[in-house]
Amino acid sequence: MSEMIENETTMVEAVTEGKIPASKEARWYVAHTYSGYENKVKNDIEMTIANRKLQDQILEVAVPVQEVVEMKNGKKRTVSKKLFPGYVLVNMFMNDVTWYIVRNTRGVTGFVGPESKPVPLSESEMKNLGINTKAIEIDAEVGDVIKVITGAWEGNVGEVKAINDGKQTVTIDVDIFGRATSVEIGFADIQKM
């Protein structure tokens, strides 16, 4: 117990003494988590952001997943597999407050970097992960009809149901196995009709 209090005191001192360098622009950082706790950590950080009204400092929390088709008992089914088990990506302005909030979220063991000092992802790393670094502006609005021009949903046409400027995505309904299913499509992957 005294060890836990000592660690907490050390972290508070690091934050109050300004040992965490503040960034002037939002960057993507990688937080290491216990394996299997990625979604819980993501939800906890998002709840803290909402409770403390930090939407302007911590912009997005992501657990990269990939859709994989599995054969089980002779049936095909699509499941989401984590691309990086044990890691959560956080797009934020690095400062003492944001560092402290992410670092002290239950399940987070630290940031990726030397001596757990956060190092932002480089441009090439973000590109390899499919993270768009430049903001894209679209001329589509809710209710407009768009066509998907690249990606898994290429060729699909749908009506824009929602636009998320922060994530740079639009939500449309796509027909999957005879059912309308809402999917998010990146701004770069669509064209207004």
Side-chain angles (χ1 to χ4, degrees):
M1 180 70 170
S2 64
E3 184 180 309
M4 198 163 78
I5 292 169
E6 197 175 295
N7 288 341
E8 185 75 17
T9 305
T10 306
M11 281 187 246
V12 170
E13 287 171 3
V15 169
T16 56
E17 291 174 11
K19 291 183 181 176
I20 308 305
S23 65
K24 293 184 181 359
E25 65 179 72
R27 303 284 303 269
W28 284 93
Y29 296 88
V30 180
H32 187 267
T33 68
Y34 297 125
S35 187
Y37 281 72
E38 301 89 356
N39 290 327
K40 175 132 180 58
V41 166
K42 177 182 185 286
N43 292 337
D44 287 350
I45 293 172
E46 289 173 343
M47 287 187 63
T48 303
I49 292 167
N51 290 339
R52 296 190 182 190
K53 297 180 179 24
L54 294 171
Q55 293 87 346
D56 59 334
Q57 293 183 47
I58 302 176
L59 307 177
E60 187 177 352
V61 183
V63 178
V65 294
Q66 177 181 9
E67 298 295 318
V68 178
V69 177
E70 284 186 348
M71 289 292 290
K72 200 166 199 174
N73 298 331
K75 294 182 181 177
K76 282 186 186 180
R77 67 180 194 156
T78 305
V79 294
S80 296
K81 295 271 187 181
K82 292 178 184 83
L83 286 176
F84 308 107
Y87 296 96
V88 173
L89 303 177
V90 183
N91 186 14
M92 65 183 186
F93 291 92
M94 181 57 70
N95 57 44
D96 296 341
V97 173
T98 57
W99 176 87
Y100 187 79
I101 286 171
V102 173
R103 177 61 186 90
N104 289 304
T105 299
R106 185 178 306 192
V108 173
T109 60
F111 282 96
V112 172
E115 299 175 14
S116 281
K117 290 184 179 166
V119 175
L121 292 173
S122 69
E123 296 288 326
S124 62
E125 291 169 327
M126 291 189 301
K127 192 173 185 179
N128 290 339
L129 291 172
I131 298 172
N132 209 356
T133 57
K134 295 180 181 148
I136 299 172
E137 291 187 22
I138 59 168
D139 61 349
E141 296 177 8
V142 174
D144 287 350
V145 177
I146 56 106
K147 179 179 182 179
V148 182
I149 55 173
T150 61
W153 305 108
E154 184 176 354
N156 282 290
V157 176
E159 180 182 328
V160 176
K161 302 291 183 192
I163 299 175
N164 185 331
D165 288 319
K167 285 183 168 181
Q168 297 271 298
T169 61
V170 296
T171 302
I172 65 169
D173 285 339
V174 175
D175 186 38
I176 300 175
F177 305 118
R179 288 186 170 166
T181 305
S182 294
V183 295
E184 284 187 342
I185 309 290
F187 285 176
D189 299 331
I190 65 168
Q191 176 182 358
K192 187 175 176 182
M193 293 193 66

